[in-house]
Amino acid sequence: MNRRGFLIALGLMLQALLFSPQMAGAETRAFVDAAGRKVEIPDNVHRVLAAGPPASVLLYALAPDKMVGWVREPSADEKAFIAAPYHDLPAYGRLTGKGNTANIEMVLKMKPDLIIDVGTVDATYVSLADRVQQQTGIPYILIDGSFAKTPDSLRTLGDLLGVKDKGEELAGYADATLKRVDAVAAAVPADKRPRVYYGRGPKGLETGLAGSINMEVLGAVGAANVAEAAGSGGLANVSLEQVLSWNPEVILTLDPNFQASVLHDPLWAGIAAVKQGRVYRAPTLPFGWFDSPPGVNRLIGVAWLTSVLYPDSHVDLRTETRDFYKRFYHVEVTDEQLDGLLAQSSAKP
Amino acid sequence: MSAGRPKAAALIRTAAPPVLLVVVVLISLVIGKYNVSARDIAAVIGAKLSGMPSGLPPTVETVIWNVRLPRVACGLFVGASLAAAGTVYQGLFRNPLVSPDILGVSAGASLGAVLGIFLSLPVLAIQGLAFAGGLAAVGLVYMIGAAVRGHDPILVLVLAGVAIGALLGASISLLKVLADPYNQLPAITFWLLGSLASVTRGDFLSVLPAMIVGLIPMVLLRWRVNLMTLDDQEARALGIETTRMRIILIAAATLMTAAAVSISGIIGWIGLLVPHVARVLVGPNFSRLLPASLLLGGGYLVAVDTLARSMAEIEVPLGILTAAIGAPFFIWLLMTTRRGWQ
């Protein structure tokens, strides 16, 4: 084959690669995603790829049968809370965001009908979505992942994936949860709002500033993030002196080491939260209750946070947890598992 | 008359580092996020030293005695250690571009700490792994250097350091890719940028012995370090056992650097920049250069750390500040000074 013939053949192959999915898919419909991008989506979606962890959780809750895999392989501890056929799905890496680890060829090999990403919708994510869509020919949609929009995102995706009933059920649950917590928070006078510090990192001196996606649940339950005084943005380091001067009434963390040490650490002893033993660890299995990832998994975190911040609110956490895990994670949680899950989630004297 | 002037100038140059250091430390002690007065600070220190109660609220005592003093002390010793190690390395390698991380000590310490964070270990284990990682990396580099024959031994060491450093850097990147992006990755990133935000008195006391042990041979061998800047053959002709000297000094400088980065994370530029400034002030004689470097390094890091904790409500990572201040200053120094480093 001469060079010209080779180039033409190459061009044809590329064309086939780029345009075949649309041609092969029988019926499509136009969908306008959260960024206002108009995307052609097949009427019947069978295989969906989540671009990042929040999308993964949303997809797993709504339509686990349509998942092509996990962004990251669940650990053994996480697998215990993920329904049996799904926890062994393959892992393919993150497609967007910091630390893009997915291989485009691997994505193509998964043969998804649709790629979804849930989270921040901004120019960066729009251009990433456009690029991947162009490169693979697979429709790629963005869904607003902010916590207040949780019911919307459940409904939208449920409709899109042909699981409208499930979407409506979960959205109704989310609506009810948000409404209930609004009522609890509204009953707390503005000057009595719990002042909370969220300590991340091994020493607990990493925190989320105002507007950080990691802190959204805090606002939802009507608590004040003491680190808002330090400005807005994402995660930042603060000094212990700073935390001492904020003197939070409640400390939240994800790290069992930090939780265990802070209660006996003379350096932290002067802080109101430590004096009153109000240092709480959010459960993290199979997905974080407070953030990590910032997805629909945070809905159960709202119930938990309400129970620890407002002890008078009478939340039956065990029943709620069972119900939530059944609805969203498709598992029946045993008493033993519940004990383990909630073991360190409240403060110890 | 005319002979008095250079003498006075030399006196000022010699006196500048200790005076600057004292001023910086005093300023640093009174600046902070938690409002305490200079009198409170004096009262708490006085009370702790005399064993009497200070009569101040416990939180004020905690801030002064457990937070601010250890932080200033750590800044002082970390800065001094990095600068001293830099001075020794630059002399040993006869190269003014050498800094404490040239033999892979920073990369090794980073890998150790990142592994600790990746495995969700307690803080003490993370610091221990950082310390061990730094020492192990230099040990490995030295073994490679000893195994390679037929080349300039110093060149081999530097090249082995570059290679091992790159390998360790790749391992760090691998762990970053594998780490949980919502919890571990930010912690790793913050650690790699360096900070004194979370140092405690315990941290300070645990690394102090290593720093002192590292400093002792430098002080004892101060005259011979000068001779190490000569060619190996010339030095041997003067009766210096160059190989043994090199092992002892590299071990000492590595110990100090590893101890420093195990509690502070990676702080660049101090070990490269401070020896140059010290050399401009007091000249290349190691027995004068070492104390000047120690004092300037300590003072510089305390000053930068004060900036890091008072610029904004959040902590600005030290590694960012030392580079942002150090690099332009270094270039300015190169352009304006004529004094060679030898």
Side-chain angles (χ1 to χ4, degrees):
Chain A
M1 201 190 292
N2 62 22
R3 182 191 275 187
R4 196 192 174 111
F6 174 74
L7 281 176
I8 290 171
L10 195 71
L12 285 174
M13 271 162 64
L14 274 174
Q15 216 169 7
L17 256 176
L18 283 174
F19 299 108
S20 60
Q22 277 96 333
M23 290 185 192
E27 300 293 314
T28 64
R29 58 171 160 159
F31 174 80
V32 179
D33 74 1
R37 296 162 65 249
K38 209 170 151 197
V39 183
E40 286 291 325
I41 287 167
D43 266 344
N44 291 311
V45 177
H46 301 290
R47 297 176 62 77
V48 187
L49 185 135
S56 231
V57 183
L58 181 61
L59 179 60
Y60 173 63
L62 278 170
D65 289 321
K66 301 195 174 186
M67 288 179 87
V68 297
W70 294 101
V71 171
R72 165 180 75 77
E73 197 193 343
S75 69
D77 288 344
E78 288 162 352
K79 280 183 179 174
F81 291 97
I82 298 173
Y86 312 115
H87 63 216
D88 290 327
L89 288 172
Y92 49 78
R94 289 161 70 84
L95 202 51
T96 65
K98 51 185 171 189
N100 174 357
T101 51
N103 180 321
I104 290 286
E105 285 186 30
M106 179 77 167
V107 167
L108 285 168
K109 203 179 134 201
M110 295 270 182
K111 293 198 183 71
D113 305 324
L114 179 67
I115 301 174
I116 56 166
D117 193 13
V118 179
T120 318
V121 176
D122 63 15
T124 311
Y125 286 96
V126 167
S127 63
L128 275 166
D130 286 342
R131 271 174 61 166
V132 173
Q133 187 169 318
Q134 257 174 24
Q135 205 180 357
T136 61
I138 300 163
Y140 187 134
I141 58 165
L142 295 166
I143 294 171
D144 187 341
S146 60
F147 189 65
K149 292 267 178 71
T150 305
D152 289 351
S153 53
L154 285 162
R155 273 195 191 96
T156 307
L157 197 63
D159 189 28
L160 211 60
L161 300 183
V163 286
K164 209 165 177 175
D165 293 349
K166 184 72 180 170
E168 197 50 54
E169 179 211 327
L170 297 186
Y173 177 95
D175 271 331
T177 305
L178 292 178
K179 221 169 255 158
R180 193 182 53 174
V181 74
D182 272 349
V184 174
V188 183
D191 58 331
K192 294 255 167 64
R193 301 196 147 202
R195 298 176 59 259
V196 180
Y197 172 76
Y198 177 38
R200 299 171 50 108
K203 284 205 169 183
L205 288 174
E206 203 182 279
T207 194
L209 303 176
S212 156
I213 194 165
N214 308 91
M215 312 301 288
E216 277 188 319
V217 178
L218 215 50
V221 300
N225 172 13
V226 292
E228 285 191 1
S232 58
L235 296 174
N237 256 340
V238 293
S239 67
L240 182 56
E241 254 185 72
Q242 182 73 73
V243 181
L244 283 168
S245 75
W246 285 332
N247 197 20
E249 296 157 349
V250 175
I251 294 174
L252 299 181
T253 183
L254 305 181
D255 189 336
N257 289 326
F258 170 65
Q259 187 197 27
S261 66
V262 73
L263 286 167
H264 304 105
D265 189 338
L267 298 186
W268 292 71
I271 294 172
V274 177
K275 276 188 203 157
Q276 289 154 25
R278 298 189 73 187
V279 180
Y280 307 106
R281 187 186 75 89
T284 48
L285 296 176
F287 311 109
W289 283 24
F290 186 72
D291 76 20
S292 171
V296 290
N297 43 307
R298 293 175 294 176
L299 278 172
I300 183 64
V302 167
W304 166 75
L305 204 52
T306 311
S307 77
V308 299
L309 291 182
Y310 312 106
D312 302 335
S313 59
H314 302 296
V315 176
D316 181 354
L317 204 53
R318 293 180 78 91
T319 311
E320 295 244 348
T321 306
R322 271 210 188 87
D323 180 42
F324 180 86
Y325 275 54
K326 195 171 169 189
R327 283 172 196 265
F328 284 77
Y329 301 155
H330 324 292
V331 287
E332 295 280 351
V333 182
T334 64
D335 277 327
E336 224 179 354
Q337 282 182 316
L338 255 180
D339 290 340
L341 196 61
L342 297 172
Q344 290 175 302
S345 69
S346 55
K348 272 178 267 169
Chain B
M1 281 292 279
S2 60
R5 276 219 161 151
K7 250 187 190 168
L11 194 68
I12 290 171
R13 285 166 188 274
T14 315
V19 171
L20 278 175
L21 180 79
V22 171
V23 171
V24 164
V25 166
L26 289 179
I27 292 174
S28 181
L29 276 177
V30 291
I31 290 180
K33 286 281 142 57
Y34 199 95
N35 262 332
V36 289
S37 66
R39 183 179 295 177
D40 290 347
I41 294 170
V44 168
I45 295 174
K48 288 284 176 187
L49 293 181
S50 64
M52 311 259 270
S54 68
L56 289 164
T59 306
V60 172
E61 274 196 27
T62 303
V63 165
I64 296 168
W65 189 249
N66 289 329
V67 180
R68 204 173 295 169
L69 266 177
R71 186 162 181 175
V72 172
C74 278
L76 210 59
F77 278 78
V78 166
S81 295
L82 293 174
T87 311
V88 169
Y89 280 125
Q90 287 180 11
L92 276 185
F93 290 93
R94 304 196 277 267
N95 188 331
L97 286 176
V98 165
S99 63
D101 35 323
I102 194 75
L103 295 184
V105 58
S106 295
S110 299
L111 181 59
V114 168
L115 190 67
I117 297 171
F118 181 75
L119 298 174
S120 301
L121 298 180
V123 180
L124 204 64
I126 295 174
Q127 288 174 351
L129 276 176
F131 187 64
L135 295 183
V138 177
L140 190 63
V141 167
Y142 201 88
M143 272 160 54
I144 295 171
V148 176
R149 307 245 166 234
H151 294 280
D152 176 8
I154 288 177
L155 189 66
V156 170
L157 270 186
V158 171
L159 292 179
V162 170
I164 294 296
L167 194 62
L168 295 171
S171 314
I172 292 168
S173 299
L174 177 67
L175 286 180
K176 283 171 88 170
V177 166
L178 296 175
D180 169 4
Y182 292 99
N183 296 311
Q184 293 167 340
L185 194 56
I188 290 173
T189 309
F190 283 124
W191 201 90
L192 290 178
L193 286 173
S195 170
L196 292 172
S198 56
V199 291
T200 61
R201 204 168 69 237
D203 293 336
F204 174 63
L205 295 176
S206 65
V207 298
L208 191 60
M211 290 178 175
I212 291 173
V213 167
L215 190 59
I216 290 170
M218 294 184 192
V219 175
L220 293 179
L221 298 173
R222 61 191 180 279
W223 295 107
R224 292 185 205 180
V225 176
N226 284 328
L227 299 176
M228 289 297 286
T229 58
L230 299 172
D231 213 81
D232 261 25
Q233 283 183 340
E234 291 177 51
R236 278 206 205 99
L238 290 166
I240 305 285
E241 280 192 60
T242 50
T243 307
R244 209 173 71 188
M245 279 282 291
R246 198 174 295 127
I247 292 180
I248 293 172
L249 288 170
I250 286 178
T254 303
L255 193 65
M256 289 180 91
T257 310
V261 295
S262 73
I263 58 166
S264 68
I266 304 304
I267 300 171
W269 280 94
I270 301 236
L272 181 62
L273 175 73
V274 171
H276 283 268
V277 180
R279 220 173 277 123
V280 169
L281 284 177
V282 300
N285 184 344
F286 190 76
S287 58
R288 286 158 64 85
L289 191 57
L290 181 67
S293 278
L294 284 168
L295 296 170
L296 282 174
Y300 179 58
L301 190 54
V302 170
V304 175
D305 184 49
T306 310
L307 206 59
R309 60 193 168 93
S310 53
M311 269 170 81
E313 302 260 328
I314 60 164
E315 293 277 335
V316 183
L318 274 178
I320 293 175
L321 281 182
T322 51
I325 299 169
F329 184 69
F330 189 67
I331 292 166
W332 175 79
L333 203 68
L334 286 181
M335 282 157 62
T336 53
T337 54
R338 271 153 204 270
R339 279 172 86 129
W341 67 279
Q342 256 173 338

